[in-house]
Amino acid sequence: PEHDDTAAAFEKGLTVNGFNIGAAISAVLCGHLIVDRHGRKPALILGSLLFALGGLVQSTAVSGPMLITGRLIAGVGVGVTSCAGPAYIAEVAPSKIRGAMVGIYQSNICLAIVGASLLNYYDHTMPTGWRWSLSVQIFLGVITALGLFFCSDTPRFLESAGRSEEAVRVLTALRGDEQMASQELAMVRAELEEEKLIGSASWGEIFVNKYFRNVVILGCLVQFFQIMTGINAMVSFGGTLFADLGVTSIASTLTPPLSFLIGNTIGGFGLVDRLGRRTLLIWGMAGMALSMLAGGIVALVAGEHTSEGGAGYVIIAMIVCYMFSFGISWGFGAWLYISEIMPLRVRGKAVGLCTGVNWGPANVISAFITPLMIAGPMGSGGTLLFFGVFSAFVVPFAVFCLPETKGRTLEEITPMFRFTTLNEFLQFVDGNLKKGDGMGVVCATKEAKMNPVAGVDTKPSSNAVQDERGETVEV
């Protein structure tokens, strides 16, 4: 648009949100309907082709509704791949490098952000530059879909589908040792039998069962806060923000996403298994809050003179610090944390729901309010302050509500979130403040030895623990 007013800001938010809404819906539904039923490979191929189709519609759009439709189609594709991709990686990677593989997955996203920032910088002044940027989706989607035809589905899915011989063949090729593959496949079969024994919770059970509901709410809040503290605002509207501040150099375009990449690499590969999830989530959010607050204050004080003197460079430096703090902590940490805290019986649906909150409410709200704040009375300085204040409020949440999960098994993690009443929640907070273990893991070892589907639905006694159904088992 010629003038970046509130009407144009609303159109920007609507265009960005076409993608977010599509991703939110498919992320919640595709896990059960596509990934688990038809396999990880077909889901990834479908998601890639939808992404390419969406890119084609966007890059050839002749109207706003056509552009938004293309965004919606591409979003559905990304929702599918964001659900199937991590599952594929986790199921084919050896356990020793599984964490590193997930780190590489997140690092590739950071690299893509850097590449997109570079492309947008060079073609944003061209009349049809936006079409070239959006058309990249076509090539990436088609290339990925074609490459997947040369990949096999995961041994875990093949075994669950009754294709045991193919599962053995694929796992042997992945591990390079038939005996090792046979041993690992035996463990996979045992896990599948356990899952059948435990069963899968219904959507209603997730919300009605008080133990499942509480941990799912915490997981949804983690995903909501990951976005609402400003990261996608900086990624999607960073160019608008910098232009409003009068800072348009290539350094200001590339430095923030590069700092995101560096932070993610350090956190994902070096610190998360040393310092722990809780420590990184607390101090990472504190760094995000301080950076945004400082940048916002400088922008407001400098006013229209941010391009003069050193104010613009200070603001860029603060945004760089913010992106680094996010990358080293919440960038990968939020996804890792929700996958670790969900009980096995609700894990698939619960992680899908948390992902939907990320793509849906969090991204939709962020995409609408950010351009409106920048174009409105708040301006760029007020926008940075808003996200700084929001981040500051999330720090106590991380301190009070996020126990440490590093080095703990599922059986040890599940009891840490077992609270239902206000008094029990206060005990949960007290446990986090004292030891970082929530309700504690005292009964975890005993609980792991119990039949996971046994139990009676009575109020827990002092010697009771909750099984995967959320039911009570006396120990």
Side-chain angles (χ1 to χ4, degrees), residues 360-378:
N363 268 292
V364 168
I365 294 172
S366 176
F368 267 126
I369 67 172
T370 301
L372 289 173
M373 287 191 296
I374 295 174
M378 292 179 65

Side-chain angles (χ1 to χ4, degrees), residues 324-355:
F324 178 83
S325 298
F326 179 86
I328 206 171
S329 57
W330 284 74
F332 68 92
W335 297 101
L336 175 63
Y337 198 77
I338 64 166
S339 68
E340 291 181 328
I341 68 175
M342 297 303 169
L344 181 61
R345 182 168 162 78
V346 298
R347 179 170 296 175
K349 290 184 175 70
V351 172
L353 183 62
C354 294
T355 303

Side-chain angles (χ1 to χ4, degrees), residues 51 305 325 399 455:
F51 183 67
H305 305 288
S325 298
V399 173

Side-chain angles (χ1 to χ4, degrees), residues 304-470:
E304 298 180 356
H305 305 288
T306 51
S307 59
E308 303 173 7
Y313 294 105
V314 172
I315 296 169
I316 293 174
M318 290 301 98
I319 294 178
V320 166
C321 290
Y322 167 85
M323 298 287 278
F324 178 83
S325 298
F326 179 86
I328 206 171
S329 57
W330 284 74
F332 68 92
W335 297 101
L336 175 63
Y337 198 77
I338 64 166
S339 68
E340 291 181 328
I341 68 175
M342 297 303 169
L344 181 61
R345 182 168 162 78
V346 298
R347 179 170 296 175
K349 290 184 175 70
V351 172
L353 183 62
C354 294
T355 303
V357 169
N358 183 294
W359 281 113
N363 268 292
V364 168
I365 294 172
S366 176
F368 267 126
I369 67 172
T370 301
L372 289 173
M373 287 191 296
I374 295 174
M378 292 179 65
S380 299
T383 302
L384 294 177
L385 272 181
F386 170 82
F387 289 119
V389 172
F390 201 107
S391 299
F393 277 111
V394 177
V395 175
F397 166 79
V399 173
F400 295 149
C401 299
L402 302 183
E404 181 57 70
T405 60
K406 182 191 74 170
R408 288 171 175 159
T409 65
L410 176 61
E411 290 77 18
E412 292 174 326
I413 292 173
T414 300
M416 294 161 58
F417 293 88
R418 189 177 300 114
F419 60 89
T420 56
T421 66
L422 177 59
N423 285 335
E424 289 175 345
F425 176 72
L426 293 177
Q427 293 176 26
F428 171 74
V429 171
D430 186 60
N432 286 327
L433 292 175
K434 290 180 178 178
K435 297 181 180 179
D437 63 355
M439 296 297 287
V441 293
V442 176
C443 297
T445 304
K446 293 181 180 180
E447 181 177 12
K449 297 178 182 179
M450 300 300 295
N451 184 333
V453 295
V456 292
D457 191 12
T458 60
K459 183 173 179 59
S461 69
S462 58
N463 294 321
V465 295
Q466 301 298 323
D467 65 12
E468 285 289 352
R469 291 180 183 271

Side-chain angles (χ1 to χ4, degrees), residues 197-267:
L197 185 64
I198 294 172
S200 177
S202 65
W203 283 106
E205 189 177 349
I206 292 176
F207 297 106
V208 173
N209 186 297
K210 51 197 172 185
Y211 300 104
F212 295 158
R213 182 180 63 234
N214 290 336
V215 70
V216 169
I217 288 174
L218 286 177
C220 288
L221 287 174
V222 168
Q223 287 294 302
F224 183 79
F225 292 149
Q226 186 205 38
I227 300 301
M228 278 304 297
T229 47
I231 182 59
N232 276 14
M234 296 301 103
V235 172
S236 299
F237 301 102
T240 302
L241 180 72
F242 285 140
D244 185 68
L245 291 169
V247 182
T248 57
S249 67
I250 189 171
S252 67
T253 301
L254 290 182
T255 307
L258 281 173
S259 65
F260 182 8
L261 173 62
I262 295 171
N264 179 82
T265 303
I266 295 173

Side-chain angles (χ1 to χ4, degrees), residues 269-301:
F269 295 101
L271 297 182
V272 69
D273 288 322
R274 294 182 182 179
L275 298 181
R277 287 73 161 139
R278 174 178 166 83
T279 301
L280 287 182
L281 291 174
I282 292 172
W283 289 105
M285 186 58 70
M288 292 159 60
L290 290 173
S291 301
M292 282 294 202
L293 290 171
I297 292 171
V298 171
L300 289 177
V301 172

